[in-house]
Amino acid sequence: QVQLVESGGGLVQAGGSLRLSCAASGSRFSINSMGWYRQAPGNQRELVATITAGGTTNYVDSVKGRFTISRDNAKNTVYLQMNRLKPEDTAVYYCRVTIAFNPYWGQGTQVTVSS
């Protein structure tokens, strides 16, 4: 059974930084795409950033220049470095990986940015 374990969330002041990690385990297959989503109270879940197996990245406009997604294939881990955080970044962040054409979701980690 594939499991995704997220960590790195917390409370930070505006302008600060956090790094989220998501480690996948239990798969016999290589991970294809990896990504981060977030959901704020009352809002729909939105795509924040993705990274392909080849390292191609994509970001939602609101985080471009501030967030960086990366992956360590040897560790089956995806990261989201979040810099210059803003209160509007406050949300539960979920990682998502695709393995053998199937999506898997992390449990979510809370990021709260105070003004």
Side-chain angles (χ1 to χ4, degrees):
Q1 181 178 347
V2 175
Q3 289 186 314
L4 306 182
V5 179
E6 299 183 32
S7 63
L11 175 64
V12 65
Q13 293 184 341
S17 298
L18 288 172
R19 189 182 75 155
L20 306 183
S21 300
C22 176
S25 63
S27 176
R28 291 186 172 90
F29 304 94
S30 298
I31 298 173
N32 186 207
S33 63
M34 310 183 82
W36 289 95
Y37 294 70
R38 66 186 181 187
Q39 187 167 19
N43 290 7
Q44 293 186 337
R45 189 172 300 184
E46 70 168 343
L47 178 64
V48 178
T50 60
I51 184 167
T52 68
T56 301
T57 59
N58 186 258
Y59 302 90
V60 67
D61 286 344
S62 60
V63 309
K64 288 181 178 177
R66 299 188 297 119
F67 290 12
T68 302
I69 187 171
S70 62
R71 62 190 290 170
D72 185 335
N73 291 332
K75 297 180 179 180
N76 289 331
T77 300
V78 61
Y79 305 93
L80 185 67
Q81 178 66 47
M82 305 183 293
N83 298 324
R84 289 152 38 217
L85 283 161
K86 303 176 180 179
E88 50 263 46
D89 295 319
T90 295
V92 177
Y93 284 70
Y94 300 88
C95 67
R96 179 187 184 272
V97 305
T98 301
I99 302 173
F101 307 104
N102 297 313
Y104 298 89
W105 290 90
Q107 81 281 4
T109 184
Q110 177 71 47
V111 171
T112 302
V113 184
S114 62
S115 60

